[in-house]
Amino acid sequence: MALSEYDIKAIKGSALAEQLSYHPLNEYHPLSHEFLDDHIIMAEKDEQEAELDEWKLWFDGASNLLGNGIGVVLASPKGQYIPFSARLGFDCTNNMAEYEAYAMGITMAIEHQISKLKVFADLVLVIYQLRREWETRDAKLVPYHAYIMALSEHFDEISFHYVPRDENQMVDALATLLAMLQANQNKEMTIHVRQQTRIAHCQQVEEAEIDGKPWYHDIRKYLEEGAYSLGVTENDKRTLRRLATSFFLSGVILYKRSADSTLLRCVDDREAREIMEEVHGRAFSTHVNGHALACKILRAGYYWSKMESDCCQHVKRCMKCQMYANNIHMAPSALHNLTSPWPFSMSGLDTIGSIEPKASNGHRFILVAIDYFTKWVEAASYANVTKMMTELCEQFSITHHNSTPYRPKMNGAVEAANKNIKKIIQKMVMTYKDWHDMLPYTLHGYRISVRTSTRATPYSLVYGIEAVLPVEVEIPSLKVLVEEELDESK
């Protein structure tokens, strides 16, 4: 039975069976293998072919105190976009500017001999007037409407569609640009648009060595041979001589004299990337921000020309730094004077927890102790911390003072240490149950990081010397060279 003429989309199986039982066929009819609506499939194919010949047009107009501008983008079926914009040299309303933009766009389409056109705009009034669904009553718009309707006769098919302003941003930007830009009369202006993938003031170390030579090649050549590179001007020679006074050449290694007369080893782009990766995100690393990372590398004894900008860009590319970034919801407060007269004369204790889910060893708490003078931190994980705190105070004769629960600032030093330890552990852990294994690495990373209150590392205040970073063994700093008496030429 042919039921398509009744526009039936779906039929229940029992209803179809009852229909066939009430209307049996007198003679046997063989099953037909032909589909009745085969022409519909062919129509869909024709529709796809029709879209290949259809062009698209977006237009917009802008009118403000600075002037009037129009923008048009014509798109071919193959995805080629042709933008065009113009500044109107006469006063007009925003609706007039919209009609001017469409008039320019439809003229461009006629010049390209387009037969099928789909038009998009973000102004409902103009779209419905072009569809002839709304009547054009404004005396200023009636001539535009009649002129455009006459131009529309050049097309075999033309349709008008409304789009939100968010989907019409390109022509809106073109119209606004020309409305604000003072162009010379009767002269065209070329605007070059290109994509820039890197921030201009943060040049990366990958771009520093375009010719395969390190950034300090000219300085080292001048200190070693007293010669300049070919093709340099007198001004460049004076600049090179001035820069060379801040550097020192020892063997094949170039050092930079810092403000406190410390010698910093100059590194190339490969070594710079390795140092940033090691100090920022590997073992004993705390994922500090870009400026703190640059300071940490300087304290380790390394230098390159764009260190701070490269460190900031390296931190921006770190996935864990973006995932666990600080959410600061309060203004910074002033730091208070130290209440401890000498190292380890006064300490504070606090706990972190309970931590859910618990670690693989069953621990859910972290006991944190901090020395108020050096900011040295000790921490250990426990399954139950209440009983352990009581026994600890009795064993070492510790006078226990509780701070107000509603004012954690009463014990601000420990609270700040707790926050930093939790933040570092978050960036170090691989799985949620191995945080207790990362605790020793977290403590060492905290101890070798510069504290804001003391402007020094807790490690240096306790031991009187900075800790040796793993990268200092791979790329020997001056401190390691002197200590191990290594040959600088190797």
Side-chain angles (χ1 to χ4, degrees), residues 96-113:
M96 293 173 62
E98 293 281 344
Y99 271 101
E100 286 283 350
Y102 178 59
M104 182 178 68
I106 199 172
T107 303
M108 292 173 56
I110 294 173
E111 292 176 356
H112 285 78
Q113 298 179 356

Side-chain angles (χ1 to χ4, degrees), residues 190-254:
T190 303
I191 300 177
H192 298 279
V193 180
R194 66 179 182 181
Q195 184 179 5
Q196 186 168 326
T197 58
R198 289 188 174 96
I199 302 175
H201 66 83
C202 293
Q203 299 293 332
Q204 296 304 299
V205 292
E206 290 86 351
E207 297 180 350
E209 302 181 5
I210 300 176
D211 55 355
K213 300 177 182 178
W215 60 271
Y216 53 81
H217 172 75
D218 293 337
I219 300 176
R220 185 173 63 182
K221 182 178 180 181
Y222 175 77
L223 293 176
E224 186 176 7
E225 304 176 2
Y228 304 97
S229 300
L230 298 177
V232 297
T233 62
E234 290 297 328
N235 188 29
D236 294 337
K237 292 180 181 180
R238 287 194 298 270
T239 304
L240 182 60
R241 290 194 297 268
R242 178 175 53 84
L243 291 175
T245 57
S246 301
F247 291 86
F248 171 74
L249 185 63
S250 177
V252 296
I253 301 178
L254 185 67

Side-chain angles (χ1 to χ4, degrees), residues 26 41 77-78 115 122 167 237 245 248 262 279 307 323 339 349 351 354 365 372 385 422 456-457 461 487:
N26 296 328
I41 301 177
K78 296 182 180 180
S115 59
D122 56 10
E167 302 177 12
K237 292 180 181 180
T245 57
F248 171 74
T262 303
V279 177
M307 175 185 294
M323 292 173 59
T339 57
L349 292 175
T351 57
S354 61
F365 296 90
Y372 285 151
V385 76
K422 288 188 291 185
T457 62
L461 293 178
D487 187 2

Side-chain angles (χ1 to χ4, degrees), residues 146-200:
Y147 172 70
I148 289 173
M149 288 297 104
L151 293 178
S152 300
E153 301 296 331
H154 291 79
F155 302 93
D156 296 339
E157 293 181 12
I158 186 170
S159 58
F160 304 95
H161 306 271
Y162 168 77
V163 292
R165 181 174 291 271
D166 294 340
E167 302 177 12
N168 205 37
Q169 292 183 354
M170 185 173 181
V171 290
D172 181 52
L174 291 174
T176 305
L177 175 63
L178 267 295
M180 302 175 63
L181 190 63
Q182 296 291 338
N184 296 328
Q185 188 176 4
N186 300 328
K187 290 186 179 180
E188 293 185 355
M189 178 182 297
T190 303
I191 300 177
H192 298 279
V193 180
R194 66 179 182 181
Q195 184 179 5
Q196 186 168 326
T197 58
R198 289 188 174 96
I199 302 175

Side-chain angles (χ1 to χ4, degrees), residues 80 85 103 122 125 150 190-191 196 205-206 231 258 303 326 334 352 370 397-398 403-404 435:
Q80 180 183 5
S85 59
D122 56 10
L125 175 66
T190 303
I191 300 177
Q196 186 168 326
V205 292
E206 290 86 351
S258 62
Y303 175 82
N326 290 333
I352 302 175
I370 183 173
S397 302
I398 299 175
S403 60
T404 308
W435 58 263

Side-chain angles (χ1 to χ4, degrees), residues 214-360:
W215 60 271
Y216 53 81
H217 172 75
D218 293 337
I219 300 176
R220 185 173 63 182
K221 182 178 180 181
Y222 175 77
L223 293 176
E224 186 176 7
E225 304 176 2
Y228 304 97
S229 300
L230 298 177
V232 297
T233 62
E234 290 297 328
N235 188 29
D236 294 337
K237 292 180 181 180
R238 287 194 298 270
T239 304
L240 182 60
R241 290 194 297 268
R242 178 175 53 84
L243 291 175
T245 57
S246 301
F247 291 86
F248 171 74
L249 185 63
S250 177
V252 296
I253 301 178
L254 185 67
Y255 293 94
K256 171 75 166 65
R257 292 188 179 92
S258 62
D260 56 354
S261 299
T262 303
L263 295 180
L264 307 175
R265 176 171 180 165
C266 298
V267 296
D268 55 19
D269 63 337
R270 182 190 61 81
E271 295 172 334
R273 287 194 297 270
E274 185 178 348
I275 291 171
M276 287 189 294
E277 292 173 0
E278 180 70 36
V279 177
H280 179 71
R282 293 183 184 172
F284 312 116
S285 302
T286 58
H287 288 266
V288 294
N289 59 53
H291 301 288
L293 177 61
C295 293
K296 195 170 183 178
I297 295 175
L298 284 173
R299 294 176 72 91
Y302 301 102
Y303 175 82
W304 66 92
S305 57
K306 295 181 175 61
M307 175 185 294
E308 189 168 0
S309 59
D310 291 340
C311 290
C312 291
Q313 289 301 308
H314 182 80
V315 172
K316 289 181 180 179
R317 292 193 298 265
C318 179
M319 181 61 68
K320 289 192 175 182
C321 288
Q322 309 309 315
M323 292 173 59
Y324 302 105
N326 290 333
N327 295 322
I328 302 175
H329 300 290
M330 60 181 299
S333 57
L335 297 176
H336 301 284
N337 294 330
L338 289 172
T339 57
S340 179
W342 54 79
F344 299 102
S345 64
M346 185 179 297
S347 302
L349 292 175
D350 198 6
T351 57
I352 302 175
S354 61
I355 301 175
E356 296 293 344
K358 60 184 178 182
S360 57

